[in-house]
Amino acid sequence: MILLLTLPSIATGRHPSYPATSEVSHELMANLFELPRYIAVEGPIRVGKSTLAGILAERLNAQRVMEPEQNPFLDAFYQGERGAAFQAQFAFLVRRFEQLEALDLGPRSQRMVVADYIFEKDKLFACLNLTDQELDTYNRYYNHFRDQLPTPDLVIYLQATPTVLKKRLKKKNAPGERAVSDEYLEEVVKAYEHFFFHYTSSDLLIVNTSDIDFVDRNEDLQELLRKVSEPIKGTQYFLPLGGQEAVGV
């Protein structure tokens, strides 16, 4: 899908006015790029991925894919019951596979998709929560499922320090998140950092949200949306402070 997308277009929801025809040729070429048809937003709990995914889906008139939350084994897992980790993880694996497999992203489709997770996230948590024996069985199904799913064109990885995430968890005070220990949260953050340090499956924008709050501060949101409006190739780091430049790798 080739679209004309200028910096203010996502942020404001409308295209700006252009100068006379004789003056716009270079500008049009500079702003003409292939907008990602499949965007995924990722990051640890309370980093803001669902909020950002919802905003992007609305601004781009895209199908929003929300991570499945209902899991009959989750309470038992939080209570530390034996075997519950494998049951909960496998239930998430199947639900995520079914959800992403149903996406209409064939070559004839014009639909855009914005998801608030990537399928690889499931294995990231499996490595944290399962024993080696359980992981061996899990991997057989994970590899089979992964081969059948599309890969995002662009992944937006939202970072934040464990200290910042702990404050956001306390502020939200959601019932299902009260059982998340500080130690477990730190392990999740480390796992995400390690995973995305080696990630090469799609274009990647890494955004450190520790010093910005696009949920409660509109200026931070607009700045991030302007960055997402630009072409992103390879891996780029968005630095919201100082010069506010993106560093490419």
Side-chain angles (χ1 to χ4, degrees):
M1 180 182 295
I2 303 294
L3 293 180
L4 180 66
L5 187 63
T6 58
L7 294 183
S9 59
I10 287 184
T12 64
R14 64 179 183 277
H15 292 290
S17 299
Y18 292 110
T21 303
S22 60
E23 301 174 359
V24 303
S25 179
H26 179 72
E27 182 177 350
L28 288 174
M29 292 300 295
N31 290 288
L32 189 64
F33 71 95
E34 187 173 357
L35 190 67
R37 289 183 54 215
Y38 180 10
I39 301 173
V41 185
E42 257 298 357
I45 187 171
R46 288 294 140 225
V47 78
K49 55 184 178 291
S50 296
T51 298
L52 180 59
I55 292 171
L56 288 175
E58 180 181 358
R59 303 294 173 92
L60 296 172
N61 193 28
Q63 175 188 355
R64 182 185 178 187
V65 179
M66 299 178 63
E67 183 170 21
E69 295 182 352
Q70 299 300 319
N71 189 320
F73 306 104
L74 206 53
D75 287 341
F77 166 67
Y78 283 140
Q79 294 171 13
E81 293 185 15
R82 186 176 181 180
F86 181 80
Q87 293 172 320
Q89 198 65 59
F90 202 82
F92 273 134
L93 178 71
V94 173
R95 289 285 305 279
R96 287 164 177 154
F97 168 72
E98 292 174 341
Q99 192 175 48
L100 296 180
E101 184 192 31
L103 295 180
D104 180 14
L105 288 168
R108 295 185 179 182
S109 173
Q110 297 298 310
R111 171 165 289 186
M112 294 183 65
V113 172
V114 179
D116 65 0
Y117 72 98
I118 60 175
F119 189 68
E120 290 85 348
K121 177 235 191 83
D122 200 279
K123 186 170 182 177
L124 186 152
F125 279 89
C127 291
L128 286 175
N129 298 324
L130 303 185
T131 66
D132 290 344
Q133 186 176 14
E134 290 171 336
L135 196 58
D136 181 65
T137 301
Y138 167 91
N139 280 334
R140 298 181 187 182
Y141 288 91
Y142 171 86
N143 294 332
H144 175 70
F145 289 159
R146 181 64 190 89
D147 289 341
Q148 303 177 56
L149 297 177
T151 298
D153 301 304
L154 171 66
V155 174
I156 303 173
Y157 165 41
L158 303 179
Q159 293 178 317
T161 65
T163 300
V164 169
L165 295 175
K166 291 172 190 175
K167 290 179 180 179
R168 294 176 184 173
L169 276 169
K170 287 184 178 180
K171 181 179 179 181
K172 184 70 175 179
N173 197 31
E177 298 171 359
R178 293 170 187 166
V180 178
S181 67
D182 291 351
E183 294 77 13
Y184 184 71
L185 182 60
E186 290 172 1
E187 287 299 315
V188 169
V189 170
K190 289 179 182 177
Y192 268 105
E193 290 176 351
H194 181 268
F195 174 80
F196 279 109
F197 182 79
H198 299 280
Y199 184 82
T200 58
S201 298
S202 58
D203 294 327
L204 175 66
L205 178 65
I206 300 177
V207 182
N208 193 318
T209 71
S210 293
D211 296 310
I212 64 173
D213 187 352
F214 60 81
V215 175
D216 294 327
R217 289 203 299 264
N218 183 63
E219 58 270 27
D220 289 342
L221 172 62
Q222 298 306 317
E223 184 182 340
L224 178 56
L225 291 178
R226 280 192 291 271
K227 178 56 198 171
V228 176
S229 299
E230 300 172 356
I232 298 168
K233 295 299 180 183
T235 298
Q236 293 188 1
Y237 294 82
F238 182 53
L239 310 177
L241 298 179
Q244 300 177 350
E245 296 292 335
V247 179
V249 176

